[in-house]
Amino acid sequence: MLAFTFRRIVMMVPILLGASILSFALVETSGDPVQEQIFLIEQSTGDPVSPDVVEELEAQLYYDRSMPERYWLWLTGIGETNGDIGLIQGKWGPSVEGPTTDIGGEVGERFWITVRLVLLAVVASVGIAILTGVISAVKQYSAVDYLLTLVGFVCLALPTFWFATLVKEAGVALNGAFGTDLFKTYRDSTRGFQGNGWEVLLDALPYMILPTFVLMLTSYASMARYQRAAMLEVLNSDYVRLARAKGVRNRTVMRRHALRTALIPIATFAPLAIVTAMGGSLVVERIFGWNGLGAYAYDSIKAADSFAVMAYLLIAGVLTLIGVLISDLLYGVLDPRIRYE
Amino acid sequence: MSDSIKRTDYSAEAITTKERSQWEMVLRRFLRHRLAVTSLILFVLIVLFAYVGPFLWKWDHTLHREIPSLAGPTLDHPFGTDQVGHDMLGAVMRATRQSLNVALTVAFGATAIGSIVGAVAGFYRGIVDAILMRIVDILFVIPFLVITAALAGNISGGTTWWHMAIILAVFGWLGTARAVRAEVLSLREKEFVEAARSVGGSDAHIIFRHLIPNATSIIIVSATLQIAFAILAETTLSYLNLGIQPPDTSLGLLIQNAGGSAFNERWYLFYIPGIFIILIALTINFVGDGLRDAMDPRQTMVRR
């Protein structure tokens, strides 16, 4: 098991490298930060930018070198640098915002905001998925099953941005109707996470309800389908029939025999759900005005801030790989038929 | 005399039921699936609305001076008009058409790439399989929404629907490739592949005439899922202003323009485009589900 884990982690390195090269090339072809900055300066001053300024910008953003050179610098920081680039040295590269903005610091702060949203939403959606999936399977072809299936299909078809806007406006309308401010519909906290843990929690809770609800509903449906299928398969299996034939009570059969096995697929699915929820968080963060990673990725794309976009892609890529690894390992732990040599 | 007896005997024993081909069976099974058939009819109606509608309706999605701004739904403007005076029925027709253009192109493109990559990887196995699947792994690691947003958001000269379609198709084929590969891995061991090879069939012949046709059910189902997936991705990007640009329009852009009008008197600006997205994604998912059941060879005509 340990050897297997180690081998899997070693295998991830080339995949991550390949992904970083490919995304670096794609991000570079999609936007030129130097041109974007020149455009912005020209717009604000109205004069053409002098060649000196262009050169300075290029030097600052390492655009005076070729793309492969820039990638090498971004990855290792070995060579002639301004001392702000080199991933393996913990430096994320220069931002177009200027030398005062440190991408690493920015990302580090926002990371936890996004993780808070994504983790809570995934835990909630897994919970709902298990509940509805099991009910659907136990009451197969009943009205309850059809209703839950229909709701699941509708949730699968819901565009996150539309639903998030709807829920946000509903929150505003409810607040207006009852004269309360129970649902906070904009920003992630009042005080920016100052104070002790309890204060932070109390402060952040009203802000979390609606975004978590949106992200939960838009991501639970496919897991609920898997849960229903898994539970049905187990319920029709021989050992459950044997347990019933022995005269085991229905509740015990469900809890001890059926559910335990039927949870295996969803347990392996959950780590990957985090990856999907990361994508959804980009939309949700923008609509609810959270200063998380997703909002950062959006702003960086808008500003053609290549190194900042790369920072997001890298973090998301590492999280994806960790998610895949955990789901593989969980499968081995939970399913005794699978052994990792 | 004995002749006539024999003849009647034969006619009595002859198979009177009509022979049905595999696709007839699939069609019959699909038609029994009421929800799927209803969904298919609804989906076709939406497609007609988007592609034929503009020829029948007097307004298009562009600005006209004689249209009043912010009019509620009336007979003149069934879906109302927006702040600047677009007729929303015309705009929704155009938007649905652009969104469907993207979705159908992505479904076609991503399915084609995915099926070919999956079939080639599964057929050759070994080094080819390893390389192709590592490419799939690498693309899987890059977050879909952000990379497509980065590419679509910065196209000089404005993003059009076919830019969107190409970008989404290039990153959207991974699931199809995995599913087709898994199917081909088992198909390639079947006798008919051996037979095709023994009569001198080339690799390309085996892949395109034997393996891919036998994986059709998986391919068709994943193509329907691609439509739903693409329409959600395209409208999301357009909503974020990283997709189709004005003066052209998309369902995502219409919702973006509607802003927070869900609970005021301009509700129709928000709900109508949203419902169109949901209807397209929902009906196509039901159709896909019905097709999956209909093409499952283990299914019998009897409903369990």
Side-chain angles (χ1 to χ4, degrees):
Chain A
M1 184 85 176
L2 213 61
F4 173 81
T5 314
F6 184 72
R7 213 167 53 227
R8 281 298 304 265
I9 291 173
V10 170
M11 267 167 58
M12 282 178 184
V13 174
I15 289 177
L16 202 56
L17 273 180
S20 74
I21 293 173
L22 183 63
S23 35
F24 200 85
L26 287 172
V27 169
E28 297 248 315
T29 49
S30 72
D32 185 341
V34 176
Q35 291 302 326
E36 185 75 19
Q37 286 305 302
I38 291 172
F39 177 71
L40 285 179
I41 295 170
E42 274 178 356
Q43 269 206 326
S44 60
T45 61
D47 301 323
V49 180
S50 71
D52 292 352
V53 178
V54 175
E55 244 170 62
E56 196 187 320
L57 270 174
E58 282 182 344
Q60 186 201 326
L61 295 170
Y62 299 98
Y63 267 68
D64 47 356
R65 301 143 213 249
S66 69
M67 206 249 280
E69 259 182 284
R70 204 156 44 243
Y71 175 77
W72 173 254
L73 279 181
W74 173 78
L75 187 66
T76 63
I78 297 166
E80 215 180 303
T81 68
N82 305 337
D84 56 359
I85 197 166
L87 203 59
I88 54 173
Q89 299 172 16
K91 296 165 189 162
W92 297 79
S95 164
V96 291
E97 303 291 327
T100 47
T101 314
D102 172 32
I103 293 179
E106 190 85 4
V107 163
E109 248 174 60
R110 289 158 173 268
F111 181 73
W112 296 110
I113 297 178
T114 297
V115 164
R116 204 163 47 119
L117 173 65
V118 164
L119 274 188
L120 206 67
V122 167
V123 168
S125 62
V126 168
I128 301 264
I130 293 174
L131 196 68
T132 55
V134 167
I135 292 174
S136 267
V138 172
K139 311 237 179 247
Q140 193 189 9
Y141 298 144
S142 69
V144 181
D145 179 25
Y146 283 125
L147 183 70
L148 287 176
T149 307
L150 186 71
V151 171
F153 266 106
V154 170
C155 286
L156 213 54
L158 273 184
T160 311
F161 65 93
W162 183 82
F163 189 55
T165 316
L166 179 66
V167 168
K168 181 184 166 183
E169 294 303 323
V172 173
L174 280 179
N175 282 345
F178 293 105
T180 63
D181 53 353
L182 178 64
F183 301 115
K184 309 278 192 191
T185 52
Y186 203 72
R187 299 203 22 229
D188 44 25
S189 62
T190 323
R191 287 175 295 180
F193 312 108
Q194 304 297 314
N196 63 33
W198 182 243
E199 281 169 5
V200 168
L201 181 74
L202 272 190
D203 180 39
L205 207 58
Y207 293 92
M208 298 205 57
I209 303 170
L210 297 181
T212 312
F213 175 71
V214 170
L215 209 50
M216 175 192 84
L217 269 197
T218 46
S219 56
Y220 94 96
S222 58
M223 283 192 283
R225 291 299 282 176
Y226 277 104
Q227 182 61 54
R228 178 175 179 274
M231 190 70 184
L232 277 178
E233 196 183 325
V234 172
L235 283 180
N236 291 326
S237 69
D238 288 339
Y239 73 91
V240 167
R241 198 169 304 126
L242 175 72
R244 286 194 200 287
K246 281 194 300 191
V248 180
R249 272 181 311 168
N250 187 41
R251 222 172 44 186
T252 319
V253 173
M254 287 295 171
R255 246 198 355 247
R256 298 271 297 273
H257 295 76
L259 189 58
R260 223 173 249 202
T261 322
L263 284 180
I264 294 175
I266 203 150
T268 62
F269 212 71
L272 290 173
I274 294 177
V275 177
T276 337
M278 283 281 289
S281 81
L282 193 150
V283 176
V284 171
E285 279 176 19
R286 259 205 62 75
I287 287 169
F288 287 96
W290 284 41
N291 284 316
L293 272 186
Y296 188 60
Y298 179 81
D299 295 339
S300 309
I301 290 170
K302 275 283 179 195
D305 197 345
S306 304
F307 290 110
V309 177
M310 277 310 292
Y312 178 87
L313 292 178
L314 189 78
I315 292 172
V318 170
L319 285 181
T320 308
L321 283 175
I322 294 174
V324 173
L325 179 70
I326 293 177
S327 92
D328 278 1
L329 292 178
L330 264 183
Y331 207 54
V333 171
L334 294 174
D335 193 337
R337 289 166 298 188
I338 290 181
R339 301 229 187 285
Y340 294 128
E341 301 304 332
Chain B
M1 198 181 124
S2 62
D3 259 286
S4 71
I5 290 172
K6 256 181 197 163
R7 207 169 291 133
T8 46
D9 274 351
Y10 282 141
S11 63
E13 281 173 24
I15 299 168
T16 49
T17 46
K18 227 176 95 236
E19 184 193 2
R20 287 195 199 122
S21 74
Q22 192 195 351
W23 290 108
E24 273 175 86
M25 299 269 286
V26 167
L27 187 66
R28 287 180 73 96
R29 283 201 217 111
F30 182 78
L31 289 177
R32 292 168 68 95
H33 207 303
R34 256 171 292 146
L35 192 57
V37 174
T38 318
S39 297
L40 184 64
I41 293 169
L42 202 54
F43 181 72
V44 170
L45 285 179
I46 293 173
V47 171
L48 286 179
F49 170 79
Y51 289 92
V52 182
F55 295 110
L56 305 176
W57 183 240
K58 54 192 169 192
W59 303 113
D60 60 4
H61 67 289
T62 54
L63 273 178
H64 294 277
R65 203 169 289 177
E66 54 271 41
I67 299 177
S69 65
L70 288 179
T74 55
L75 269 182
D76 286 344
H77 303 287
F79 287 1
T81 64
D82 69 356
Q83 293 91 324
V84 275
H86 290 108
D87 173 60
M88 289 309 286
L89 179 58
V92 167
M93 279 175 181
R94 172 71 176 189
T96 310
R97 183 176 141 182
Q98 297 304 71
S99 296
L100 278 175
N101 273 344
V102 174
L104 297 173
T105 315
V106 169
F108 185 77
T111 308
I113 303 174
S115 321
I116 293 172
V117 168
V120 167
F123 176 72
Y124 287 107
R125 299 210 307 200
I127 183 88
V128 177
D129 185 24
I131 291 172
L132 286 175
M133 284 301 115
R134 287 303 83 73
I135 293 175
V136 171
D137 286 348
I138 284 173
L139 284 174
F140 182 73
V141 165
I142 303 176
F144 178 81
L145 196 61
V146 173
I147 198 71
T148 50
L151 289 173
N154 291 314
I155 291 174
S156 54
T159 317
T160 57
W161 72 262
W162 52 269
H163 286 130
M164 297 297 297
I166 292 171
I167 292 168
L168 292 177
V170 162
F171 289 92
W173 53 270
L174 308 177
T176 310
R178 282 196 176 139
V180 172
R181 173 179 173 269
E183 180 72 10
V184 165
L185 274 179
S186 88
L187 282 178
R188 77 189 289 281
E189 309 295 338
K190 294 272 164 66
E191 287 85 352
F192 65 84
V193 174
E194 196 70 17
R197 204 195 308 277
S198 68
V199 295
S202 66
D203 287 355
H205 171 85
I206 294 174
I207 290 174
F208 287 103
R209 300 307 298 275
H210 294 280
L211 294 178
I212 289 183
N214 274 290
T216 314
S217 64
I218 284 176
I219 292 171
I220 289 180
V221 170
S222 80
T224 59
L225 296 180
Q226 292 275 10
I227 295 179
F229 167 77
I231 205 128
L232 292 180
E234 184 273 321
T235 51
T236 303
L237 290 177
S238 296
Y239 173 82
L240 295 170
N241 287 327
L242 294 167
I244 293 174
Q245 303 288 328
D248 206 342
T249 191
S250 140
L251 289 172
L253 264 182
L254 289 182
I255 293 171
Q256 163 74 21
N257 293 337
S261 61
F263 289 96
N264 61 26
E265 68 279 10
R266 294 196 294 281
W267 52 271
Y268 50 89
L269 292 179
F270 177 77
Y271 287 105
I272 293 172
I275 284 169
F276 266 87
I277 300 176
I278 296 175
L279 274 184
I280 295 170
L282 191 64
T283 51
I284 207 73
N285 272 334
F286 278 134
V287 171
D289 217 45
L291 280 175
R292 191 197 330 254
D293 286 351
M295 291 199 275
D296 186 352
R298 283 167 300 183
Q299 280 254 327
T300 54
M301 292 296 281
V302 190
R303 200 153 177 214
R304 273 177 295 177

